[in-house]
Amino acid sequence: MPGFAKTRLCPPASPDQAAEIAAAALLDTLDAVAVTPGAVPVVAVTGDFAAAARSAEIRRALTRTTVLGQRGVPFGERLANVHADTAARHPGLPVLQIGMDTPQVRPELLAAAAADLAAHQAVLGRAADGGWWALGLRDPATARVLEHVPMSRSDTGDRTHAALSRRGVVPRDLAELSDVDTMADARAVASVCRGRFPAAVAAVTR
């Protein structure tokens, strides 16, 4: 939604351009998930899609998924609740949780992460800014540790790894990716990305 999505891109992006970039990232991510072998896509949403950029396209893409509303206030609580709600909807399946900030993610990478998760209790994909782009858990109850991990910090990845390890679940590391927080991030990711995202970023005047 303009004014709410990817506001750290403004300036140089306008609120409408930032929302277009966010929508492109979401749609490219959904495309990658949709063709990942064995994936059962679940999307946890918040906000008003009627007011979103590319609203009709997003709604069409979501018809290929199970859509859940996010629950909770702090981000860590919402992340933990997504694991619980997904497990309740699809009991017995592990959960590989990703965001829409890494539109460069490819089905091959997601399939490899799922294979690692099949062999380990947890997997963690670190982000270059110190956070994480992917968290996979075979036991959804383990996600409750996220409620006590400060999010959106330069040590969030380390703190998540430590919290899981204290629980007795040492995650296997996945490949590190750069996520999109700033315009410099967006341009760097666009240079290695396919799909809608590069065009949405290129529309922003330097």
PDB file of all heavy atoms in Angstrom, residues 58-100:
ATOM      1  N   ILE A  58      -2.083  -9.360  -7.668  1.00  0.00           N
ATOM      2  CA  ILE A  58      -1.795 -10.034  -6.403  1.00  0.00           C
ATOM      3  C   ILE A  58      -2.934 -10.977  -6.024  1.00  0.00           C
ATOM      4  O   ILE A  58      -2.709 -12.121  -5.609  1.00  0.00           O
ATOM      5  CB  ILE A  58      -1.553  -8.998  -5.292  1.00  0.00           C
ATOM      6  CG1 ILE A  58      -0.223  -8.274  -5.525  1.00  0.00           C
ATOM      7  CG2 ILE A  58      -1.545  -9.668  -3.921  1.00  0.00           C
ATOM      8  CD1 ILE A  58       0.016  -7.111  -4.586  1.00  0.00           C
ATOM      9  N   ARG A  59      -4.147 -10.517  -6.187  1.00  0.00           N
ATOM     10  CA  ARG A  59      -5.292 -11.378  -5.840  1.00  0.00           C
ATOM     11  C   ARG A  59      -5.320 -12.632  -6.691  1.00  0.00           C
ATOM     12  O   ARG A  59      -5.626 -13.723  -6.201  1.00  0.00           O
ATOM     13  CB  ARG A  59      -6.594 -10.586  -5.989  1.00  0.00           C
ATOM     14  CG  ARG A  59      -6.794  -9.550  -4.906  1.00  0.00           C
ATOM     15  CD  ARG A  59      -8.073  -8.756  -5.123  1.00  0.00           C
ATOM     16  NE  ARG A  59      -8.356  -7.871  -4.021  1.00  0.00           N
ATOM     17  CZ  ARG A  59      -9.398  -7.069  -3.961  1.00  0.00           C
ATOM     18  NH1 ARG A  59     -10.271  -7.035  -4.961  1.00  0.00           N
ATOM     19  NH2 ARG A  59      -9.583  -6.277  -2.920  1.00  0.00           N
ATOM     20  N   ARG A  60      -4.997 -12.503  -7.976  1.00  0.00           N
ATOM     21  CA  ARG A  60      -4.940 -13.699  -8.832  1.00  0.00           C
ATOM     22  C   ARG A  60      -3.849 -14.654  -8.355  1.00  0.00           C
ATOM     23  O   ARG A  60      -4.049 -15.869  -8.311  1.00  0.00           O
ATOM     24  CB  ARG A  60      -4.697 -13.300 -10.290  1.00  0.00           C
ATOM     25  CG  ARG A  60      -5.897 -12.707 -10.991  1.00  0.00           C
ATOM     26  CD  ARG A  60      -5.701 -12.664 -12.507  1.00  0.00           C
ATOM     27  NE  ARG A  60      -4.545 -11.855 -12.885  1.00  0.00           N
ATOM     28  CZ  ARG A  60      -4.593 -10.542 -13.107  1.00  0.00           C
ATOM     29  NH1 ARG A  60      -5.732  -9.882 -12.964  1.00  0.00           N
ATOM     30  NH2 ARG A  60      -3.511  -9.878 -13.476  1.00  0.00           N
ATOM     31  N   ALA A  61      -2.695 -14.102  -8.006  1.00  0.00           N
ATOM     32  CA  ALA A  61      -1.593 -14.946  -7.550  1.00  0.00           C
ATOM     33  C   ALA A  61      -1.942 -15.667  -6.251  1.00  0.00           C
ATOM     34  O   ALA A  61      -1.555 -16.828  -6.043  1.00  0.00           O
ATOM     35  CB  ALA A  61      -0.332 -14.106  -7.363  1.00  0.00           C
ATOM     36  N   LEU A  62      -2.686 -15.004  -5.392  1.00  0.00           N
ATOM     37  CA  LEU A  62      -3.029 -15.612  -4.106  1.00  0.00           C
ATOM     38  C   LEU A  62      -4.027 -16.758  -4.237  1.00  0.00           C
ATOM     39  O   LEU A  62      -4.165 -17.566  -3.311  1.00  0.00           O
ATOM     40  CB  LEU A  62      -3.582 -14.555  -3.153  1.00  0.00           C
ATOM     41  CG  LEU A  62      -2.565 -13.526  -2.646  1.00  0.00           C
ATOM     42  CD1 LEU A  62      -3.255 -12.485  -1.778  1.00  0.00           C
ATOM     43  CD2 LEU A  62      -1.431 -14.193  -1.886  1.00  0.00           C
ATOM     44  N   THR A  63      -4.712 -16.867  -5.368  1.00  0.00           N
ATOM     45  CA  THR A  63      -5.636 -17.987  -5.552  1.00  0.00           C
ATOM     46  C   THR A  63      -4.891 -19.315  -5.616  1.00  0.00           C
ATOM     47  O   THR A  63      -5.505 -20.371  -5.442  1.00  0.00           O
ATOM     48  CB  THR A  63      -6.486 -17.815  -6.823  1.00  0.00           C
ATOM     49  OG1 THR A  63      -5.631 -17.810  -7.979  1.00  0.00           O
ATOM     50  CG2 THR A  63      -7.295 -16.526  -6.782  1.00  0.00           C
ATOM     51  N   ARG A  64      -3.567 -19.268  -5.830  1.00  0.00           N
ATOM     52  CA  ARG A  64      -2.768 -20.498  -5.869  1.00  0.00           C
ATOM     53  C   ARG A  64      -2.276 -20.899  -4.485  1.00  0.00           C
ATOM     54  O   ARG A  64      -1.531 -21.872  -4.352  1.00  0.00           O
ATOM     55  CB  ARG A  64      -1.546 -20.303  -6.774  1.00  0.00           C
ATOM     56  CG  ARG A  64      -1.868 -19.859  -8.192  1.00  0.00           C
ATOM     57  CD  ARG A  64      -0.614 -19.588  -8.992  1.00  0.00           C
ATOM     58  NE  ARG A  64       0.127 -18.431  -8.473  1.00  0.00           N
ATOM     59  CZ  ARG A  64       1.221 -17.925  -9.040  1.00  0.00           C
ATOM     60  NH1 ARG A  64       1.720 -18.494 -10.123  1.00  0.00           N
ATOM     61  NH2 ARG A  64       1.826 -16.876  -8.513  1.00  0.00           N
ATOM     62  N   THR A  65      -2.671 -20.155  -3.455  1.00  0.00           N
ATOM     63  CA  THR A  65      -2.121 -20.352  -2.118  1.00  0.00           C
ATOM     64  C   THR A  65      -3.220 -20.496  -1.082  1.00  0.00           C
ATOM     65  O   THR A  65      -4.388 -20.207  -1.338  1.00  0.00           O
ATOM     66  CB  THR A  65      -1.229 -19.160  -1.708  1.00  0.00           C
ATOM     67  OG1 THR A  65      -2.069 -18.047  -1.374  1.00  0.00           O
ATOM     68  CG2 THR A  65      -0.267 -18.768  -2.828  1.00  0.00           C
ATOM     69  N   THR A  66      -2.833 -20.937   0.110  1.00  0.00           N
ATOM     70  CA  THR A  66      -3.675 -20.800   1.297  1.00  0.00           C
ATOM     71  C   THR A  66      -3.356 -19.451   1.918  1.00  0.00           C
ATOM     72  O   THR A  66      -2.194 -19.149   2.190  1.00  0.00           O
ATOM     73  CB  THR A  66      -3.370 -21.918   2.313  1.00  0.00           C
ATOM     74  OG1 THR A  66      -3.660 -23.187   1.733  1.00  0.00           O
ATOM     75  CG2 THR A  66      -4.191 -21.736   3.577  1.00  0.00           C
ATOM     76  N   VAL A  67      -4.363 -18.630   2.133  1.00  0.00           N
ATOM     77  CA  VAL A  67      -4.161 -17.280   2.674  1.00  0.00           C
ATOM     78  C   VAL A  67      -4.611 -17.251   4.132  1.00  0.00           C
ATOM     79  O   VAL A  67      -5.741 -17.628   4.456  1.00  0.00           O
ATOM     80  CB  VAL A  67      -4.933 -16.232   1.852  1.00  0.00           C
ATOM     81  CG1 VAL A  67      -4.757 -14.844   2.456  1.00  0.00           C
ATOM     82  CG2 VAL A  67      -4.461 -16.244   0.402  1.00  0.00           C
ATOM     83  N   LEU A  68      -3.699 -16.811   4.994  1.00  0.00           N
ATOM     84  CA  LEU A  68      -3.974 -16.662   6.420  1.00  0.00           C
ATOM     85  C   LEU A  68      -3.772 -15.210   6.819  1.00  0.00           C
ATOM     86  O   LEU A  68      -2.878 -14.540   6.303  1.00  0.00           O
ATOM     87  CB  LEU A  68      -3.032 -17.540   7.247  1.00  0.00           C
ATOM     88  CG  LEU A  68      -3.003 -19.038   6.947  1.00  0.00           C
ATOM     89  CD1 LEU A  68      -1.915 -19.703   7.793  1.00  0.00           C
ATOM     90  CD2 LEU A  68      -4.359 -19.665   7.239  1.00  0.00           C
ATOM     91  N   GLY A  69      -4.563 -14.732   7.751  1.00  0.00           N
ATOM     92  CA  GLY A  69      -4.333 -13.407   8.311  1.00  0.00           C
ATOM     93  C   GLY A  69      -3.255 -13.468   9.386  1.00  0.00           C
ATOM     94  O   GLY A  69      -3.164 -14.453  10.128  1.00  0.00           O
ATOM     95  N   GLN A  70      -2.425 -12.450   9.451  1.00  0.00           N
ATOM     96  CA  GLN A  70      -1.416 -12.389  10.501  1.00  0.00           C
ATOM     97  C   GLN A  70      -2.081 -12.082  11.835  1.00  0.00           C
ATOM     98  O   GLN A  70      -3.022 -11.298  11.912  1.00  0.00           O
ATOM     99  CB  GLN A  70      -0.364 -11.334  10.177  1.00  0.00           C
ATOM    100  CG  GLN A  70       0.478 -11.671   8.955  1.00  0.00           C
ATOM    101  CD  GLN A  70       1.569 -10.652   8.706  1.00  0.00           C
ATOM    102  OE1 GLN A  70       1.941  -9.881   9.599  1.00  0.00           O
ATOM    103  NE2 GLN A  70       2.101 -10.640   7.490  1.00  0.00           N
ATOM    104  N   ARG A  71      -1.544 -12.703  12.899  1.00  0.00           N
ATOM    105  CA  ARG A  71      -2.057 -12.478  14.251  1.00  0.00           C
ATOM    106  C   ARG A  71      -0.924 -11.998  15.147  1.00  0.00           C
ATOM    107  O   ARG A  71       0.190 -12.484  15.049  1.00  0.00           O
ATOM    108  CB  ARG A  71      -2.630 -13.772  14.849  1.00  0.00           C
ATOM    109  CG  ARG A  71      -3.809 -14.352  14.130  1.00  0.00           C
ATOM    110  CD  ARG A  71      -4.410 -15.508  14.921  1.00  0.00           C
ATOM    111  NE  ARG A  71      -3.504 -16.636  15.055  1.00  0.00           N
ATOM    112  CZ  ARG A  71      -2.964 -17.053  16.202  1.00  0.00           C
ATOM    113  NH1 ARG A  71      -3.208 -16.391  17.332  1.00  0.00           N
ATOM    114  NH2 ARG A  71      -2.164 -18.104  16.231  1.00  0.00           N
ATOM    115  N   GLY A  72      -1.254 -11.056  16.026  1.00  0.00           N
ATOM    116  CA  GLY A  72      -0.260 -10.575  16.965  1.00  0.00           C
ATOM    117  C   GLY A  72       0.147  -9.148  16.665  1.00  0.00           C
ATOM    118  O   GLY A  72      -0.190  -8.586  15.628  1.00  0.00           O
ATOM    119  N   VAL A  73       0.898  -8.562  17.594  1.00  0.00           N
ATOM    120  CA  VAL A  73       1.342  -7.186  17.438  1.00  0.00           C
ATOM    121  C   VAL A  73       2.839  -7.115  17.179  1.00  0.00           C
ATOM    122  O   VAL A  73       3.257  -6.706  16.094  1.00  0.00           O
ATOM    123  CB  VAL A  73       0.922  -6.319  18.641  1.00  0.00           C
ATOM    124  CG1 VAL A  73       1.424  -4.896  18.478  1.00  0.00           C
ATOM    125  CG2 VAL A  73      -0.600  -6.324  18.798  1.00  0.00           C
ATOM    126  N   PRO A  74       3.699  -7.537  18.127  1.00  0.00           N
ATOM    127  CA  PRO A  74       5.132  -7.522  17.798  1.00  0.00           C
ATOM    128  C   PRO A  74       5.423  -8.467  16.634  1.00  0.00           C
ATOM    129  O   PRO A  74       4.756  -9.501  16.468  1.00  0.00           O
ATOM    130  CB  PRO A  74       5.803  -8.009  19.087  1.00  0.00           C
ATOM    131  CG  PRO A  74       4.788  -7.815  20.156  1.00  0.00           C
ATOM    132  CD  PRO A  74       3.458  -7.997  19.498  1.00  0.00           C
ATOM    133  N   PHE A  75       6.408  -8.108  15.824  1.00  0.00           N
ATOM    134  CA  PHE A  75       6.701  -8.893  14.629  1.00  0.00           C
ATOM    135  C   PHE A  75       7.075 -10.333  14.971  1.00  0.00           C
ATOM    136  O   PHE A  75       6.654 -11.280  14.298  1.00  0.00           O
ATOM    137  CB  PHE A  75       7.821  -8.219  13.842  1.00  0.00           C
ATOM    138  CG  PHE A  75       8.033  -8.778  12.460  1.00  0.00           C
ATOM    139  CD1 PHE A  75       6.971  -9.213  11.685  1.00  0.00           C
ATOM    140  CD2 PHE A  75       9.311  -8.851  11.932  1.00  0.00           C
ATOM    141  CE1 PHE A  75       7.169  -9.724  10.408  1.00  0.00           C
ATOM    142  CE2 PHE A  75       9.533  -9.362  10.665  1.00  0.00           C
ATOM    143  CZ  PHE A  75       8.454  -9.803   9.897  1.00  0.00           C
ATOM    144  N   GLY A  76       7.859 -10.518  16.040  1.00  0.00           N
ATOM    145  CA  GLY A  76       8.244 -11.865  16.430  1.00  0.00           C
ATOM    146  C   GLY A  76       7.042 -12.729  16.774  1.00  0.00           C
ATOM    147  O   GLY A  76       6.995 -13.920  16.452  1.00  0.00           O
ATOM    148  N   GLU A  77       6.053 -12.143  17.433  1.00  0.00           N
ATOM    149  CA  GLU A  77       4.830 -12.874  17.763  1.00  0.00           C
ATOM    150  C   GLU A  77       4.072 -13.253  16.495  1.00  0.00           C
ATOM    151  O   GLU A  77       3.560 -14.372  16.373  1.00  0.00           O
ATOM    152  CB  GLU A  77       3.948 -12.023  18.670  1.00  0.00           C
ATOM    153  CG  GLU A  77       2.641 -12.711  19.082  1.00  0.00           C
ATOM    154  CD  GLU A  77       1.750 -11.817  19.914  1.00  0.00           C
ATOM    155  OE1 GLU A  77       2.118 -10.646  20.138  1.00  0.00           O
ATOM    156  OE2 GLU A  77       0.679 -12.285  20.332  1.00  0.00           O
ATOM    157  N   ARG A  78       4.004 -12.327  15.534  1.00  0.00           N
ATOM    158  CA  ARG A  78       3.310 -12.638  14.278  1.00  0.00           C
ATOM    159  C   ARG A  78       4.008 -13.781  13.532  1.00  0.00           C
ATOM    160  O   ARG A  78       3.352 -14.668  12.978  1.00  0.00           O
ATOM    161  CB  ARG A  78       3.219 -11.396  13.403  1.00  0.00           C
ATOM    162  CG  ARG A  78       2.159 -10.404  13.858  1.00  0.00           C
ATOM    163  CD  ARG A  78       2.004  -9.275  12.874  1.00  0.00           C
ATOM    164  NE  ARG A  78       3.052  -8.285  12.993  1.00  0.00           N
ATOM    165  CZ  ARG A  78       3.514  -7.543  11.991  1.00  0.00           C
ATOM    166  NH1 ARG A  78       3.023  -7.703  10.776  1.00  0.00           N
ATOM    167  NH2 ARG A  78       4.460  -6.664  12.195  1.00  0.00           N
ATOM    168  N   LEU A  79       5.359 -13.750  13.513  1.00  0.00           N
ATOM    169  CA  LEU A  79       6.101 -14.814  12.845  1.00  0.00           C
ATOM    170  C   LEU A  79       5.819 -16.165  13.501  1.00  0.00           C
ATOM    171  O   LEU A  79       5.604 -17.174  12.818  1.00  0.00           O
ATOM    172  CB  LEU A  79       7.596 -14.510  12.885  1.00  0.00           C
ATOM    173  CG  LEU A  79       8.085 -13.312  12.070  1.00  0.00           C
ATOM    174  CD1 LEU A  79       9.548 -13.032  12.376  1.00  0.00           C
ATOM    175  CD2 LEU A  79       7.889 -13.555  10.579  1.00  0.00           C
ATOM    176  N   ALA A  80       5.847 -16.195  14.839  1.00  0.00           N
ATOM    177  CA  ALA A  80       5.581 -17.448  15.548  1.00  0.00           C
ATOM    178  C   ALA A  80       4.159 -17.946  15.280  1.00  0.00           C
ATOM    179  O   ALA A  80       3.931 -19.149  15.077  1.00  0.00           O
ATOM    180  CB  ALA A  80       5.801 -17.249  17.044  1.00  0.00           C
ATOM    181  N   ASN A  81       3.199 -17.025  15.253  1.00  0.00           N
ATOM    182  CA  ASN A  81       1.810 -17.418  15.008  1.00  0.00           C
ATOM    183  C   ASN A  81       1.621 -17.978  13.603  1.00  0.00           C
ATOM    184  O   ASN A  81       0.785 -18.865  13.387  1.00  0.00           O
ATOM    185  CB  ASN A  81       0.878 -16.229  15.231  1.00  0.00           C
ATOM    186  CG  ASN A  81       0.689 -15.910  16.700  1.00  0.00           C
ATOM    187  OD1 ASN A  81       0.891 -16.758  17.565  1.00  0.00           O
ATOM    188  ND2 ASN A  81       0.300 -14.680  16.999  1.00  0.00           N
ATOM    189  N   VAL A  82       2.371 -17.458  12.637  1.00  0.00           N
ATOM    190  CA  VAL A  82       2.274 -17.982  11.276  1.00  0.00           C
ATOM    191  C   VAL A  82       2.682 -19.444  11.244  1.00  0.00           C
ATOM    192  O   VAL A  82       2.051 -20.271  10.565  1.00  0.00           O
ATOM    193  CB  VAL A  82       3.127 -17.150  10.303  1.00  0.00           C
ATOM    194  CG1 VAL A  82       3.249 -17.857   8.962  1.00  0.00           C
ATOM    195  CG2 VAL A  82       2.518 -15.774  10.111  1.00  0.00           C
ATOM    196  N   HIS A  83       3.755 -19.804  11.951  1.00  0.00           N
ATOM    197  CA  HIS A  83       4.158 -21.205  12.014  1.00  0.00           C
ATOM    198  C   HIS A  83       3.041 -22.061  12.607  1.00  0.00           C
ATOM    199  O   HIS A  83       2.710 -23.125  12.078  1.00  0.00           O
ATOM    200  CB  HIS A  83       5.433 -21.358  12.848  1.00  0.00           C
ATOM    201  CG  HIS A  83       6.685 -21.082  12.080  1.00  0.00           C
ATOM    202  ND1 HIS A  83       7.428 -22.080  11.478  1.00  0.00           N
ATOM    203  CD2 HIS A  83       7.323 -19.931  11.819  1.00  0.00           C
ATOM    204  CE1 HIS A  83       8.470 -21.539  10.876  1.00  0.00           C
ATOM    205  NE2 HIS A  83       8.435 -20.241  11.072  1.00  0.00           N
ATOM    206  N   ALA A  84       2.461 -21.596  13.722  1.00  0.00           N
ATOM    207  CA  ALA A  84       1.401 -22.360  14.371  1.00  0.00           C
ATOM    208  C   ALA A  84       0.174 -22.499  13.476  1.00  0.00           C
ATOM    209  O   ALA A  84      -0.407 -23.589  13.350  1.00  0.00           O
ATOM    210  CB  ALA A  84       1.022 -21.688  15.691  1.00  0.00           C
ATOM    211  N   ASP A  85      -0.225 -21.405  12.843  1.00  0.00           N
ATOM    212  CA  ASP A  85      -1.434 -21.431  12.010  1.00  0.00           C
ATOM    213  C   ASP A  85      -1.226 -22.268  10.755  1.00  0.00           C
ATOM    214  O   ASP A  85      -2.147 -22.960  10.287  1.00  0.00           O
ATOM    215  CB  ASP A  85      -1.836 -20.002  11.640  1.00  0.00           C
ATOM    216  CG  ASP A  85      -2.279 -19.189  12.847  1.00  0.00           C
ATOM    217  OD1 ASP A  85      -2.511 -19.789  13.917  1.00  0.00           O
ATOM    218  OD2 ASP A  85      -2.379 -17.954  12.723  1.00  0.00           O
ATOM    219  N   THR A  86      -0.021 -22.205  10.178  1.00  0.00           N
ATOM    220  CA  THR A  86       0.267 -23.021   8.999  1.00  0.00           C
ATOM    221  C   THR A  86       0.265 -24.497   9.361  1.00  0.00           C
ATOM    222  O   THR A  86      -0.281 -25.331   8.622  1.00  0.00           O
ATOM    223  CB  THR A  86       1.629 -22.619   8.394  1.00  0.00           C
ATOM    224  OG1 THR A  86       1.586 -21.241   8.022  1.00  0.00           O
ATOM    225  CG2 THR A  86       1.952 -23.461   7.173  1.00  0.00           C
ATOM    226  N   ALA A  87       0.864 -24.832  10.498  1.00  0.00           N
ATOM    227  CA  ALA A  87       0.887 -26.229  10.933  1.00  0.00           C
ATOM    228  C   ALA A  87      -0.516 -26.744  11.223  1.00  0.00           C
ATOM    229  O   ALA A  87      -0.829 -27.914  10.964  1.00  0.00           O
ATOM    230  CB  ALA A  87       1.770 -26.366  12.168  1.00  0.00           C
ATOM    231  N   ALA A  88      -1.381 -25.878  11.753  1.00  0.00           N
ATOM    232  CA  ALA A  88      -2.759 -26.289  12.019  1.00  0.00           C
ATOM    233  C   ALA A  88      -3.517 -26.548  10.726  1.00  0.00           C
ATOM    234  O   ALA A  88      -4.354 -27.447  10.648  1.00  0.00           O
ATOM    235  CB  ALA A  88      -3.467 -25.218  12.849  1.00  0.00           C
ATOM    236  N   ARG A  89      -3.223 -25.757   9.688  1.00  0.00           N
ATOM    237  CA  ARG A  89      -3.901 -25.927   8.404  1.00  0.00           C
ATOM    238  C   ARG A  89      -3.334 -27.111   7.626  1.00  0.00           C
ATOM    239  O   ARG A  89      -4.071 -27.795   6.904  1.00  0.00           O
ATOM    240  CB  ARG A  89      -3.756 -24.640   7.581  1.00  0.00           C
ATOM    241  CG  ARG A  89      -4.559 -24.634   6.273  1.00  0.00           C
ATOM    242  CD  ARG A  89      -6.054 -24.603   6.525  1.00  0.00           C
ATOM    243  NE  ARG A  89      -6.464 -23.373   7.179  1.00  0.00           N
ATOM    244  CZ  ARG A  89      -6.888 -22.296   6.527  1.00  0.00           C
ATOM    245  NH1 ARG A  89      -6.946 -22.306   5.202  1.00  0.00           N
ATOM    246  NH2 ARG A  89      -7.258 -21.217   7.184  1.00  0.00           N
ATOM    247  N   HIS A  90      -2.043 -27.361   7.774  1.00  0.00           N
ATOM    248  CA  HIS A  90      -1.376 -28.448   7.048  1.00  0.00           C
ATOM    249  C   HIS A  90      -0.576 -29.297   8.032  1.00  0.00           C
ATOM    250  O   HIS A  90       0.660 -29.271   8.038  1.00  0.00           O
ATOM    251  CB  HIS A  90      -0.459 -27.882   5.968  1.00  0.00           C
ATOM    252  CG  HIS A  90      -1.165 -27.069   4.934  1.00  0.00           C
ATOM    253  ND1 HIS A  90      -2.004 -27.624   3.990  1.00  0.00           N
ATOM    254  CD2 HIS A  90      -1.182 -25.726   4.706  1.00  0.00           C
ATOM    255  CE1 HIS A  90      -2.497 -26.666   3.212  1.00  0.00           C
ATOM    256  NE2 HIS A  90      -2.010 -25.515   3.624  1.00  0.00           N
ATOM    257  N   PRO A  91      -1.257 -30.056   8.884  1.00  0.00           N
ATOM    258  CA  PRO A  91      -0.568 -30.799   9.945  1.00  0.00           C
ATOM    259  C   PRO A  91       0.421 -31.823   9.373  1.00  0.00           C
ATOM    260  O   PRO A  91       0.174 -32.439   8.347  1.00  0.00           O
ATOM    261  CB  PRO A  91      -1.705 -31.493  10.696  1.00  0.00           C
ATOM    262  CG  PRO A  91      -2.868 -31.485   9.765  1.00  0.00           C
ATOM    263  CD  PRO A  91      -2.719 -30.275   8.917  1.00  0.00           C
ATOM    264  N   GLY A  92       1.544 -31.934  10.066  1.00  0.00           N
ATOM    265  CA  GLY A  92       2.551 -32.920   9.688  1.00  0.00           C
ATOM    266  C   GLY A  92       3.590 -32.426   8.716  1.00  0.00           C
ATOM    267  O   GLY A  92       4.603 -33.101   8.509  1.00  0.00           O
ATOM    268  N   LEU A  93       3.379 -31.258   8.107  1.00  0.00           N
ATOM    269  CA  LEU A  93       4.343 -30.737   7.157  1.00  0.00           C
ATOM    270  C   LEU A  93       5.296 -29.760   7.857  1.00  0.00           C
ATOM    271  O   LEU A  93       4.870 -28.974   8.703  1.00  0.00           O
ATOM    272  CB  LEU A  93       3.643 -30.000   6.014  1.00  0.00           C
ATOM    273  CG  LEU A  93       2.797 -30.835   5.055  1.00  0.00           C
ATOM    274  CD1 LEU A  93       2.194 -29.942   3.977  1.00  0.00           C
ATOM    275  CD2 LEU A  93       3.629 -31.929   4.422  1.00  0.00           C
ATOM    276  N   PRO A  94       6.580 -29.786   7.513  1.00  0.00           N
ATOM    277  CA  PRO A  94       7.489 -28.749   8.026  1.00  0.00           C
ATOM    278  C   PRO A  94       7.143 -27.411   7.390  1.00  0.00           C
ATOM    279  O   PRO A  94       6.484 -27.355   6.345  1.00  0.00           O
ATOM    280  CB  PRO A  94       8.871 -29.244   7.582  1.00  0.00           C
ATOM    281  CG  PRO A  94       8.589 -30.057   6.354  1.00  0.00           C
ATOM    282  CD  PRO A  94       7.248 -30.702   6.587  1.00  0.00           C
ATOM    283  N   VAL A  95       7.585 -26.331   8.010  1.00  0.00           N
ATOM    284  CA  VAL A  95       7.302 -24.987   7.511  1.00  0.00           C
ATOM    285  C   VAL A  95       8.616 -24.288   7.185  1.00  0.00           C
ATOM    286  O   VAL A  95       9.484 -24.161   8.047  1.00  0.00           O
ATOM    287  CB  VAL A  95       6.518 -24.160   8.550  1.00  0.00           C
ATOM    288  CG1 VAL A  95       6.316 -22.732   8.041  1.00  0.00           C
ATOM    289  CG2 VAL A  95       5.174 -24.811   8.849  1.00  0.00           C
ATOM    290  N   LEU A  96       8.748 -23.848   5.947  1.00  0.00           N
ATOM    291  CA  LEU A  96       9.864 -23.009   5.529  1.00  0.00           C
ATOM    292  C   LEU A  96       9.305 -21.615   5.309  1.00  0.00           C
ATOM    293  O   LEU A  96       8.570 -21.379   4.343  1.00  0.00           O
ATOM    294  CB  LEU A  96      10.507 -23.546   4.253  1.00  0.00           C
ATOM    295  CG  LEU A  96      11.677 -22.722   3.700  1.00  0.00           C
ATOM    296  CD1 LEU A  96      12.863 -22.753   4.656  1.00  0.00           C
ATOM    297  CD2 LEU A  96      12.092 -23.214   2.324  1.00  0.00           C
ATOM    298  N   GLN A  97       9.632 -20.718   6.206  1.00  0.00           N
ATOM    299  CA  GLN A  97       9.055 -19.369   6.205  1.00  0.00           C
ATOM    300  C   GLN A  97      10.019 -18.393   5.537  1.00  0.00           C
ATOM    301  O   GLN A  97      11.186 -18.313   5.908  1.00  0.00           O
ATOM    302  CB  GLN A  97       8.800 -18.944   7.649  1.00  0.00           C
ATOM    303  CG  GLN A  97       8.118 -17.596   7.815  1.00  0.00           C
ATOM    304  CD  GLN A  97       7.870 -17.300   9.279  1.00  0.00           C
ATOM    305  OE1 GLN A  97       8.766 -17.382  10.104  1.00  0.00           O
ATOM    306  NE2 GLN A  97       6.636 -16.969   9.613  1.00  0.00           N
ATOM    307  N   ILE A  98       9.515 -17.673   4.531  1.00  0.00           N
ATOM    308  CA  ILE A  98      10.306 -16.636   3.875  1.00  0.00           C
ATOM    309  C   ILE A  98       9.454 -15.373   3.791  1.00  0.00           C
ATOM    310  O   ILE A  98       8.244 -15.419   3.985  1.00  0.00           O
ATOM    311  CB  ILE A  98      10.776 -17.050   2.460  1.00  0.00           C
ATOM    312  CG1 ILE A  98       9.597 -17.219   1.510  1.00  0.00           C
ATOM    313  CG2 ILE A  98      11.609 -18.328   2.526  1.00  0.00           C
ATOM    314  CD1 ILE A  98       9.997 -17.447   0.064  1.00  0.00           C
ATOM    315  N   GLY A  99      10.115 -14.262   3.508  1.00  0.00           N
ATOM    316  CA  GLY A  99       9.391 -13.015   3.306  1.00  0.00           C
ATOM    317  C   GLY A  99       9.332 -12.673   1.830  1.00  0.00           C
ATOM    318  O   GLY A  99       9.620 -13.495   0.961  1.00  0.00           O
ATOM    319  N   MET A 100       8.967 -11.421   1.541  1.00  0.00           N
ATOM    320  CA  MET A 100       8.903 -10.974   0.150  1.00  0.00           C
ATOM    321  C   MET A 100      10.030  -9.991  -0.148  1.00  0.00           C
ATOM    322  O   MET A 100      10.007  -9.290  -1.148  1.00  0.00           O
ATOM    323  CB  MET A 100       7.546 -10.349  -0.170  1.00  0.00           C
ATOM    324  CG  MET A 100       6.975  -9.403   0.857  1.00  0.00           C
ATOM    325  SD  MET A 100       7.799  -7.800   0.978  1.00  0.00           S
ATOM    326  CE  MET A 100       7.299  -7.064  -0.560  1.00  0.00           C
TER     327      MET A 100
END
